[in-house]
Amino acid sequence: MFFFEAIPWYNAIMWLVVFGILIGLNELVRASKWVSVAMFMGLPVILTVVWLLRGENEITSWFTWVKVYSALTGSIIYMVIRFTDYHKKHRWYLALVPGILAINIAEAVVREFQVGTLGFNGMVDGMNYISGGWNYVNGIAGILNILLICGWFGIFATKGKSKDMLWPDQTRLWIIAYGVWNIAYVYSCAPGNAFYSGVALNIAATVPALFWAKGTWMQNRAQTLSFWMMWVMTFPYFFATESTFNVSVSYNSAANWTIASISLALNVVLAVWQVYRIVKYRLNPLKDELWTDTKEYKEINSLRVQDLNVASGDSLKKTS
């Protein structure tokens, strides 16, 4: 195969299991405040003790440690928006959403350049690597992806059964550009489990946002990434090279170049489109939402209007 070596039936089934569990856990925390608290605050405290008590050679990459806590930090930040009105009284708090997103992308960009600059080839941090110019190409795509984050002051939380944090100005194209960039990053910088943490993890956050929970991608991404990183930290060898469930990348430089080039191309297309809209409509990308006239934006933003109408109706009932 071009991107991966052979994928036996049991590995395909394990991919579906990983995907299904991530989707299920995400829906579980969407439905309950207290499950969210238990998963993103209680469980990590217990697991941190386990990780620290385990042998120091169990997890060798600094990136793994940074990633698990940055993902959990994002999930907790978003919980405050989902379950409290703090962000309404302190509008600056919404800036933490793109902030933690940008930090997570930047962490990966640093790792991408590290792999390329140090020439990771062979076994490094328990994984077999090849490095090359694609690391720099995808690193540049990641930087572009950070610069293209927009419309964060339009973020709001719904008041329905599932209290979701919605981001109307985070378009499908940005989500896809991010997803391909992240898959390319994992493919070259964490090749040992790219089949799962690259493909399955990204799709698990994207599918709900495209179909039954539109506007929730940022929330989904932080939550599914938190689940995945806690699993990786607790069972670091489950998908490792020697594992039955491991699916090896092809270690074909053409494959690395292909996915990195697609990643950069998507982000360049999005950059051109955003600049066009900024110039045409005289928008300030630091203050204005860029996509308010699109069907996609209006569909998600309509939930804000519905919530306002419900709140107004409740207020009238209380005063009458």
Side-chain angles (χ1 to χ4, degrees), residues 26 29-30 40 67 70-79 81-82 94-105 145-146 149-152 155-156 164-172 174-176 178 181-182 201-202 204-210 213-226 300:
N26 186 61
V29 294
R30 282 186 65 221
F40 301 130
K67 203 68 178 176
S70 61
L72 287 167
T73 299
S75 295
I76 294 169
I77 288 172
Y78 307 158
M79 281 169 57
I81 295 174
R82 292 173 60 204
L94 291 177
L96 296 180
V97 180
I100 195 68
L101 173 59
I103 289 171
N104 268 269
I105 299 172
N145 202 244
I146 293 173
I149 298 171
C150 64
W152 55 85
I155 293 170
F156 68 99
D164 290 315
M165 182 188 77
L166 303 186
W167 190 339
D169 217 42
Q170 193 169 61
T171 66
R172 285 189 293 265
W174 188 94
I175 292 169
I176 293 169
Y178 171 94
W181 162 80
N182 191 256
L201 181 58
N202 271 284
T206 304
V207 167
L210 293 182
K214 295 181 180 180
T216 63
W217 180 86
M218 185 70 263
Q219 170 187 295
N220 299 341
R221 174 59 178 168
Q223 293 174 171
T224 54
L225 182 59
S226 294
I300 298 169

Side-chain angles (χ1 to χ4, degrees), residues 285-302:
L286 297 178
K287 296 171 61 177
D288 299 325
E289 293 175 283
L290 305 185
W291 307 94
T292 55
D293 60 331
T294 64
K295 179 181 177 181
E296 179 184 355
Y297 177 98
K298 291 176 181 178
E299 183 177 1
I300 298 169
N301 197 56
S302 66

Side-chain angles (χ1 to χ4, degrees), residues 138-159:
N138 201 50
I140 293 170
I143 293 171
L144 260 181
N145 202 244
I146 293 173
L147 296 175
L148 295 173
I149 298 171
C150 64
W152 55 85
F153 284 106
I155 293 170
F156 68 99
T158 60
K159 299 180 181 295

Side-chain angles (χ1 to χ4, degrees), residues 215-280:
T216 63
W217 180 86
M218 185 70 263
Q219 170 187 295
N220 299 341
R221 174 59 178 168
Q223 293 174 171
T224 54
L225 182 59
S226 294
F227 294 136
W228 177 256
M229 291 310 302
M230 285 190 284
W231 173 267
V232 169
M233 290 283 284
T234 306
F235 304 102
Y237 299 120
F238 194 86
F239 296 115
T241 304
E242 63 274 15
S243 170
T244 303
F245 299 112
N246 176 262
V247 175
S248 176
V249 299
S250 62
Y251 294 104
N252 177 358
S253 60
N256 289 84
W257 274 116
T258 298
I259 189 68
S261 299
I262 294 172
S263 167
L264 181 59
L266 284 170
N267 280 283
V268 168
V269 168
L270 180 58
V272 171
W273 196 1
Q274 284 196 189
V275 169
Y276 167 77
R277 291 183 63 86
I278 289 168
V279 173
K280 180 179 179 180

